[in-house]
Amino acid sequence: MTEMSKASYFIRCSRFSLILACLALPATYVVAEEIEKDAEAADNQESQGWVEDFLQTLGADGEFDPNKLIDFSYLPGPFYNPEMDLGVGISAVGLYQFDPDDEVSQLSSLVINGLASTNGALGVAMANKTFINQDQQRFYLNAEIFDAPDVFYGVGYDDNHQQANRVEFNQRIVSINPMLLQRMSPTSFVGIGFDFSYADASKIDPLDSAVDPSLLDESSRSVGLNVLLNHDSRDNVLNPQSGRILEIDAAFYRQYLGSKTDFDVYNALYSEYMQTGRGEDILAWQVRGRFTSGDVPWDQLSKAGGGDLLRGYTSGRYRDKQMLMTQVEYRLNLPGRHGMVFWGGAGVIADDISGFDANKILPNGGIGYRFEVKPRVNLRLDMAWGDGDSGFYFNVNEAF
C-alpha cells in the first residue's frame, strides 16, 4: 500500500461509522511497526558501517585489489591457555596474482601467523601457496620458528590418556618445507620437496608424571626429501566448495642429508567437498593417516590434536608412530560474510598399524564461526571438545 493510498484509506474511514473507523487500527499499527523497523534497520546499518570501517582499516574488506603487490589483511586476537598464559596473536593474510595476465590460476596466498604471551612465548609461522603458468606449476612453502611451552605425556595411548602423566617443557622449533608441484593431467600433480626440522627441549618439568621424559633430553634434527602424488579436482585450494583430493606424500630422512637418524614418514589423505542444495552450504569430510618407520625422533612422531588434526585435543599430548583419523564438517553459510561450522571426528594412534584398537578411539566434536576476510579466505574461530580435553582455536583458512 503506497503512502497516498494509506492517506485515502484513513479519510474514507472518517466518513463512515465508528465500527468501520476501527478498521483503521490495524493499519495504524502496521505503520507504527514499519517506522520502528526502519529505525532499527538504520541503527543496524550505522553499526555495520562502523564495523565495516574498522575492518577496512585492517584490510579485511572481503575483496581483492589486483593493483597491490600483495593485498594484505591484518587480524589481531587475544588468547589464553594454561601453557602460554595471556597472549596476543596476529594473522596477516595476503592474496596476490603471480602473473597479472594469467586468467586460469587461482589467487596465490601468503598467511603469516605470529604470537607472543606474558610468559615469554614467541612464534611465527608462514604458509605460502603460489600458482604459476596457468596453474601448470604450484609452489608451496611452509615454515615456522617457535619458542614456547609444550606438553609431553609419553608415547602411546595408554600413557597419553593418563592426565597424571603430564610433563611440561619449553620447546624451540625451526622448520622449513618448500615443495614444487607439476601438473601431469587436468586433475593430477606430482611434487618434490625438501624438509628441514630442528627441535630442542628445555626447562623439562616432570611434575608427578610416571613417564620417563629422558626422550626429550636430546635435540632433534630431521633433514629429508619428500615426493608427493595427488589427484586434485577441488574448485579452490584455500576454501573448497566442490571436488575432492586424494594425496600421498612420502618423506625420507637420512643421515647423509644431515639428519640425526634415518626414518620415513608417509602421509595419506582423502577429502571431499559437496554442496548440500541448501544455498551455499557445504558438507566436507576427510580421512587422513600419518605412518612412520625407522628411528623416529620424539618431535616427528605422529600426533593427534591441535588446530587441524582432531581439534579438541592438546597438540603433543597424543603421539605415537602411527595415526589414523577422520572428520566430517557441515559448513553453514549465513548472510553477509558470516558462517558457522559443526563437526565431529575420531582418531587412533598406535606403535604399529595392527595395534589400532576400537576401544582406544579418540572422539571429538565442536562448533565454529567463520568470517570472510578476503575472497575464499576465512577467519576461523573454533571451540572443540575431546575425551577429557578441549581447545579453542583462532586461525585462518579451514582445518581441511
Side-chain angles (χ1 to χ4, degrees):
M1 182 181 293
T2 64
E3 293 301 322
M4 183 63 70
S5 61
K6 288 178 183 177
S8 300
Y9 176 74
F10 291 127
I11 292 173
R12 287 197 301 270
C13 282
S14 65
R15 294 176 180 175
F16 291 99
S17 64
L18 180 60
I19 296 176
L20 292 177
C22 290
L23 296 175
L25 292 176
T28 304
Y29 174 77
V30 169
V31 172
E33 186 178 33
E34 289 180 354
I35 293 174
E36 183 178 354
K37 288 182 177 179
D38 289 343
E40 290 179 357
D43 290 341
N44 289 336
Q45 185 174 5
E46 182 179 354
S47 175
Q48 291 177 0
W50 178 86
V51 173
E52 288 294 334
D53 288 344
F54 175 70
L55 293 173
Q56 288 277 353
T57 62
L58 299 178
D61 51 12
E63 299 178 357
F64 169 67
D65 186 352
N67 296 317
K68 294 181 179 179
L69 182 63
I70 302 180
D71 188 7
F72 271 110
S73 296
Y74 303 93
L75 304 166
F79 67 85
Y80 174 82
N81 62 51
E83 289 77 38
M84 297 188 189
D85 293 334
L86 182 65
V88 62
I90 184 169
S91 294
V93 184
L95 296 181
Y96 62 96
Q97 206 163 21
F98 183 79
D99 180 0
D101 297 325
D102 186 348
E103 297 181 356
V104 175
S105 299
Q106 58 189 278
L107 293 176
S108 301
S109 66
L110 174 62
V111 178
I112 303 173
N113 295 313
L115 65 85
S117 72
T118 55
N119 69 352
L122 293 170
V124 61
M126 180 185 70
N128 173 233
K129 290 180 170 62
T130 304
F131 303 91
I132 309 167
N133 190 23
Q134 310 290 319
D135 202 18
Q136 291 302 303
Q137 291 87 35
R138 296 177 176 181
F139 177 73
Y140 294 168
L141 175 63
N142 294 292
E144 63 178 4
I145 301 176
F146 277 93
D147 186 346
D150 207 340
V151 294
F152 179 73
Y153 285 77
V155 179
Y157 176 89
D158 291 334
D159 285 343
N160 298 166
H161 196 61
Q162 301 299 318
Q163 182 64 33
N165 285 345
R166 180 185 180 94
V167 174
E168 297 179 354
F169 69 101
N170 199 74
Q171 182 175 211
R172 296 182 182 89
I173 298 176
V174 178
S175 71
I176 183 168
N177 176 215
M179 174 170 284
L180 180 65
L181 287 75
Q182 172 66 49
R183 184 182 293 275
M184 305 302 292
S185 76
T187 58
S188 66
F189 288 86
V190 60
I192 186 168
F194 172 79
D195 187 41
F196 170 86
S197 180
Y198 171 83
D200 176 68
S202 62
K203 301 179 181 178
I204 301 172
D205 186 353
L207 303 175
D208 296 322
S209 177
V211 302
D212 181 8
S214 61
L215 186 66
L216 306 175
D217 290 341
E218 187 174 354
S219 63
S220 164
R221 185 180 66 250
S222 304
V223 186
L225 299 175
N226 58 318
V227 179
L228 178 146
L229 298 171
N230 76 15
H231 164 84
D232 189 355
S233 63
R234 295 173 296 173
D235 64 325
N236 187 277
V237 172
L238 297 179
N239 187 4
Q241 295 183 354
S242 64
R244 60 184 59 87
I245 179 171
L246 171 62
E247 183 172 275
I248 298 175
D249 181 357
F252 309 98
Y253 300 87
R254 296 294 182 266
Q255 295 184 52
Y256 60 77
L257 294 174
S259 185
K260 278 193 173 183
T261 61
D262 293 344
F263 66 101
D264 302 328
V265 177
Y266 302 92
N267 283 285
L269 73 87
Y270 178 84
S271 301
E272 187 163 354
Y273 309 85
M274 300 170 287
Q275 296 185 353
T276 65
R278 183 193 176 280
E280 298 180 0
D281 293 358
I282 304 298
L283 180 66
W285 64 279
Q286 179 186 75
V287 178
R288 187 166 184 169
R290 187 178 188 272
F291 313 103
T292 68
S293 64
D295 190 3
V296 187
W298 57 271
D299 68 305
Q300 294 293 327
L301 292 168
S302 300
K303 302 175 185 178
D308 298 325
L309 301 176
L310 221 60
R311 286 161 286 177
Y313 293 96
T314 302
S315 179
R317 173 167 182 172
Y318 286 92
R319 67 177 85 198
D320 210 328
K321 281 193 169 184
Q322 324 301 338
M323 183 275 295
L324 181 65
M325 59 153 290
T326 184
Q327 53 187 334
V328 58
E329 185 168 280
Y330 188 86
R331 300 172 182 174
L332 175 65
N333 183 62
L334 296 176
R337 292 193 275 158
H338 308 280
M340 299 289 293
V341 300
F342 311 89
W343 77 87
V348 289
I349 60 170
D351 178 68
D352 188 80
I353 294 177
S354 61
F356 287 151
D357 190 341
N359 296 317
K360 298 179 180 180
I361 290 178
L362 299 168
N364 82 319
I367 183 173
Y369 166 74
R370 300 292 183 269
F371 180 79
E372 188 180 40
V373 296
K374 289 292 183 185
R376 304 294 283 270
V377 178
N378 288 337
L379 172 67
R380 172 159 62 100
L381 301 175
D382 288 339
M383 187 66 206
W385 295 268
D387 181 10
D389 209 345
S390 63
F392 177 76
Y393 307 95
F394 170 88
N395 214 322
V396 175
N397 291 327
E398 300 299 335
F400 68 96

